Every structure is written in C-alpha cells, then in structure tokens.
C-alpha cells in the first residue's frame, strides 16, 4: 500500500518538474519520489526495482552537477547516489559495476576535497569512499590497485586521527586501513595487524554492543591467528581464536523480553 502512494507521489513529482525546468525545488520533488521508492524496494529485497529508481535519480543528479558545478552539496548528494548504486550492485554480486560506481563516488568527494580543502566533512567522506572501493578491488583480486587505494586511505585516516584522536569513527577507519595493510602485504610479519587489533579493542571496550566494531575486531584476530602458527606461535593463534569466539557469542543470542 505504501508503494502505491509513493508511486503516485513520484509520478506527480515528474509532472510537476516538467512544468518548469528552471524551478529547482520542483526538480527536487521528482528526485524525492525516486528516492522514496528506491528505499522502500531495497527494504523489501526488490533490488532490481530499487536499482531502477536509483538509476533515474542518478541521471537527474548527473545533469544537476553539470548545471551547478560550483555547488559542492549537489556534488556530494550525487556521490551518495553513486554509493547507493555501488552497494546494490555489490549485494547482487555485480562486482565490476559496483567498482565503477565506487570509483565515481571516490572521484566526486576527491573533487570536493580539492575545491574545499579545509572541510573535514569532505575528507571524511572521501576516506569512507576509498575503503568501499578497496573492498571491491580486493574481491576482484586487483591487489595492486587495492594497495594503492589503501595507501591513500591510510594517509587520510592518520591525518584525521591526528586532528581528533578521540573520534571513534576515524579511529575505526585507521584500524581498517591497518588491517588491510596487513592483509595486502607480501610480508605478513609486518606490525599493522597488532596495531589494528589494539585500535579495535579500544573502541570495542567503549562500544561493546556495536556489531560493526566487533566484526572488525574478530576479522583482525582471526587474521592474526592464521599468521601465528607460521611464526611458530600456535598458543597465540589459539588465544586469538578464543577471543574471537567470545566476541561472536553475544550477537547470536536472542534476548527475550
């Protein structure tokens, strides 16, 4: 039923926008209509329908970015649509398409950083975009590209953490970059995995119910576990596996009222 009303809203928005292409507020009504349906369809698991709505939205923003090249917020909103399309394609297993949209996402925020270099927001969003791109590059086996992307992400994360050492999101991004530095290294004896574990443990202690934080700590512990026997330290591998298991346990226990 919600879908029927949201479709009517979208259709009326399209008609309204067509009445006056110079009225940007009316053009945005069309965009809101596509957004509502995309969100609804994704929540229902209708990814093809969600992608169709988001592609219409992406097309609108591509035109607006050309019309308003100095408006960095429009560029950022366009980047959000690219991120959305990248994520949907990732869910569908379309890795090359996902990579294309994540490259677009990264380039858009890189442009914003270049045009407004003092903005911490753009630097933060550019960092998150790099890490999305890196993830897909790794899945595709493009390891050299992934190393280069992670190098940029690591520099950005270090700069942000230096600016605000207590920002948990930036600490996590630094830890993620350290994790990838280890995973992508040809020398598994390098120290970044220890640094990643230390960062994730610190944030996990503050936010023990944060599933994303726990997941990254688990991944880092298991990566270290895989390395430990090769380094002649089976005891450490066993210890890390036990810690990872203890972290997983609370998230599959269903709490009853």
């Amino acid at each position: 039923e919600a879908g029927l009303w949201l479709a009517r809203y979208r259709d009326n928005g399209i008609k309204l926008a067509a009445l006056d292409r110079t009225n940007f507020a009316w053009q945005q009504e069309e965009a809101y209509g596509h957004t509502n349906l995309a969100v609804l369809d994704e929540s229902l698991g209708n990814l093809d329908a969600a992608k169709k709505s988001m592609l219409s939205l992406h097309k609108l923003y591509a035109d607006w970015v050309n019309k308003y090249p100095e408006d960095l917020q429009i560029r950022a909103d366009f980047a959000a649509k690219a991120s959305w399309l990248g994520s949907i394609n990732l869910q569908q297993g379309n890795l090359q398409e996902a990579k294309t949209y994540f490259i677009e996402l990264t380039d858009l925020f890189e442009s914003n950083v270049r045009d407004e270099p003092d903005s911490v927001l753009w630097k933060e969003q550019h960092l998150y975009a790099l890490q999305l791109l890196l993830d897909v590059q790794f899945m595709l086996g493009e390891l050299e590209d992934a190393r280069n992307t992670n190098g940029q992400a690591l520099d950005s994360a270090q700069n942000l953490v230096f600016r605000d050492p207590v920002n948990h999101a930036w600490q996590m991004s630094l830890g993620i970059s350290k994790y990838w530095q280890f995973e992508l290294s040809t020398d598994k004896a390098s120290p970044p995995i220890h640094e990643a574990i230390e960062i994730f443990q610190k944030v996990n202690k503050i936010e023990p119910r944060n599933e994303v934080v726990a997941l990254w700590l688990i991944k880092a512990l298991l990566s270290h576990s895989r390395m430990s026997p090769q380094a002649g330290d089976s005891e450490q591998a066993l210890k890390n596996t036990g810690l990872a298991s203890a972290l997983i346990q609370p998230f599959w226990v269903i709490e009853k009222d």
Side-chain angles (χ1 to χ4, degrees), residues 45-254:
N46 302 327
L47 297 185
D48 285 335
K51 187 193 291 187
K52 183 178 179 181
S53 294
M54 193 53 66
L55 283 169
S56 297
L57 195 56
H58 184 271
K59 185 177 179 181
L60 286 174
Y61 271 92
D63 182 51
W64 294 343
V65 164
N66 289 328
K67 283 184 178 178
Y68 310 103
E70 304 302 319
D71 193 320
L72 302 193
Q73 186 56 54
I74 289 178
R75 197 185 294 166
D77 291 341
F78 182 34
K81 314 316 170 197
S83 177
W84 223 87
L85 283 165
S87 296
I88 289 179
N89 277 290
L90 194 58
Q91 289 181 65
Q92 293 180 314
N94 304 323
L95 299 185
Q96 287 291 351
E97 286 186 58
K99 186 180 79 166
T100 297
Y101 285 113
F102 287 146
I103 288 173
E104 182 177 59
L105 167 68
T106 304
D107 289 346
L108 286 164
F109 278 122
E110 187 175 331
S111 296
N112 274 18
V113 171
R114 187 165 54 246
D115 291 345
E116 202 170 78
D118 294 332
S119 171
V120 174
L121 174 62
W122 303 144
K123 291 176 181 178
E124 177 186 62
Q125 294 302 317
H126 182 237
L127 168 59
Y128 298 155
L130 286 168
Q131 292 184 326
L132 286 171
L133 174 59
L134 161 64
D135 200 34
V136 177
Q137 289 171 330
F138 181 75
M139 291 181 192
L140 287 166
E142 299 172 352
L143 301 187
E144 192 57 38
D145 288 342
R147 289 186 192 97
N148 291 334
T149 300
N150 190 55
Q152 296 179 61
L154 180 59
D155 287 344
S156 181
Q158 287 173 329
N159 288 333
L160 287 171
V161 169
F162 179 77
R163 179 187 290 264
D164 183 0
V166 298
N167 186 306
H168 296 166
W170 296 351
Q171 284 279 352
M172 283 300 299
S173 289
L174 178 59
I176 291 168
S177 290
K178 293 286 186 179
Y179 167 87
W180 280 118
Q181 190 178 16
F182 171 77
E183 283 294 326
L184 293 166
S185 173
T186 56
D187 176 15
K188 291 296 193 264
S190 58
I193 195 64
H194 302 286
E195 297 171 15
I197 290 171
E198 184 178 345
I199 291 169
F200 296 148
Q201 284 178 328
K202 179 180 177 181
V203 180
N204 176 253
K205 197 170 186 178
I206 298 168
E207 301 180 33
R209 294 181 179 272
N210 188 318
E211 190 170 348
V212 174
V213 174
L215 176 62
W216 277 106
L217 176 53
I218 290 163
K219 288 174 68 172
L221 286 167
L222 293 179
S223 288
H224 191 214
S225 292
R226 289 194 297 272
M227 178 198 75
S228 296
Q230 300 172 26
D233 195 351
S234 297
E235 186 177 339
Q236 184 63 52
L238 188 61
K239 178 182 177 182
N240 284 348
T241 304
L243 290 171
S245 179
L247 284 163
I248 292 168
Q249 185 70 26
F251 291 103
W252 72 43
V253 174
I254 300 174

Side-chain angles (χ1 to χ4, degrees), residues 6-18 21 23-40 50 52-65 68 74 77-78 80-81 84:
L6 290 175
R8 289 179 65 181
Y9 175 81
R10 177 204 58 197
D11 294 343
N12 285 331
I14 291 172
K15 292 174 184 176
L16 178 67
R21 291 298 179 189
N23 188 321
F24 188 57
W26 289 7
Q27 308 309 305
Q28 288 178 304
E29 287 296 331
E30 179 179 352
Y32 299 151
H34 289 304
T35 300
N36 291 335
L37 284 172
V39 171
L40 177 65
K52 183 178 179 181
S53 294
M54 193 53 66
L55 283 169
S56 297
L57 195 56
H58 184 271
K59 185 177 179 181
L60 286 174
Y61 271 92
D63 182 51
W64 294 343
V65 164
Y68 310 103
I74 289 178
D77 291 341
F78 182 34
K81 314 316 170 197
W84 223 87

